[in-house]
């Protein structure tokens, strides 16, 4: 199984979108690093994609893992205030919250904001794959990630709500460790209640 390392903030948005859009709309920005021992000092491409994603939305809930205990392993639940009330996102599969202050990395993985991030996420079709189940359907999901693609890892999300839609993140492959990306998807036509990496 390929390990994926989701770092930084997970952004969830509930139904409310400022304009009517065809589905799905994808936001992607990637900043390549020169090696995995040092964090990128800035992530302008990822940040621009995040800003465009957030500008298209209203009622945004964000999780940066800072309030979750260091070492807390999946499964756990996160509550988000959204446009239609509180929504719970339950993470299952693999991963744990890690803390990494300073400018170093953990084999190319590091937080984008603050000191905490979700570490050692396994992706794939097994029961250990990271899955996020939502208590109500959502129309948008976004996240920052670090260290994707350094071993030719291709990342896809499966969005589920009765049927499953696969969305490719489009990250670069065979790149130096420690690179960072932001990926977001908005689909107001086909909302979803679960995401699997």
């Amino acid at each position: 199984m390929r390990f994926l390392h989701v770092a930084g903030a997970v952004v969830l948005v509930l139904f409310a979108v400022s304009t009517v859009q065809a589905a799905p709309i994808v936001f992607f920005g990637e900043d390549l690093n020169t090696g995995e021992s040092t964090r990128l000092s800035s992530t302008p491409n990822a940040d621009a994609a995040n800003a465009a994603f957030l500008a298209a939305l209203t009622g945004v809930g964000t999780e940066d893992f800072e309030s979750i205990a260091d070492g807390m392993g999946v499964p756990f639940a996160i509550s988000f205030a959204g446009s239609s009330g509180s929504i719970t996102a339950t993470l299952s599969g693999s991963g744990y919250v890690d803390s990494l202050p300073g400018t170093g990395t953990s084999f190319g993985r590091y937080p984008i904001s603050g000191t905490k991030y979700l570490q050692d996420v396994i992706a794939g079709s097994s029961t250990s794959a990271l899955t996020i189940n939502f208590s109500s359907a959502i129309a948008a999901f976004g996240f920052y990630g670090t260290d994707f693609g350094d071993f030719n890892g291709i990342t896809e999300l499966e969005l589920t709500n009765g049927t499953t839609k696969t969305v490719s993140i489009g990250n670069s492959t065979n790149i130096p460790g420690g690179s960072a990306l932001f990926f977001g998807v908005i689909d107001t036509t086909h909302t979803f209640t679960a995401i699997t990496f």
Side-chain angles (χ1 to χ4, degrees):
M1 299 219 163
R2 168 77 180 124
F3 282 87
L4 299 179
H5 313 286
V6 179
V10 173
V11 180
L12 306 175
V13 181
L14 321 170
F15 291 112
V17 178
S18 60
T19 58
V20 176
Q21 302 172 356
I25 306 292
V26 171
F27 300 82
F28 178 77
E30 184 177 51
D31 297 283
L32 301 181
N33 204 346
T34 57
E36 64 182 29
S37 61
T38 305
R39 292 183 200 188
L40 288 170
S41 59
S42 66
T43 54
N45 297 326
D47 292 345
N50 179 43
F53 174 73
L54 293 174
L57 302 167
T58 59
V60 177
T62 303
E63 176 61 55
D64 61 8
F65 303 108
E66 293 299 313
S67 65
I68 299 175
D70 191 22
M72 171 70 88
V74 170
F76 59 82
I78 303 167
S79 185
F80 292 90
S83 62
S84 60
S86 182
I87 289 194
T88 300
T90 303
L91 286 73
S92 62
S94 66
Y96 66 94
V97 175
D98 197 7
S99 180
L100 188 64
T103 59
T105 73
S106 174
F107 302 101
R109 298 162 295 238
Y110 52 91
I112 296 295
S113 65
T115 63
K116 293 187 179 180
Y117 62 107
L118 191 58
Q119 163 85 288
D120 285 346
V121 172
I122 297 175
S125 58
S126 73
T127 57
S128 59
L130 178 65
T131 298
I132 306 170
N133 287 288
F134 304 97
S135 60
S136 298
I138 63 170
F141 175 79
F143 67 94
Y144 277 96
T146 60
D147 209 38
F148 280 63
D150 57 339
F151 291 103
N152 287 324
I154 296 171
T155 307
E156 296 177 332
L157 298 179
E158 290 182 354
L159 311 177
T160 307
N161 190 5
T163 61
T164 299
K165 175 183 267 185
T166 301
V167 179
S168 178
I169 289 176
N171 60 287
S172 297
T173 59
N174 201 25
I175 57 175
S179 296
L181 61 79
F182 176 83
F183 176 84
V185 61
I186 299 173
D187 192 339
T188 58
T189 304
H190 302 98
T191 58
F192 42 96
T193 56
I195 296 172
T196 300
F197 281 78

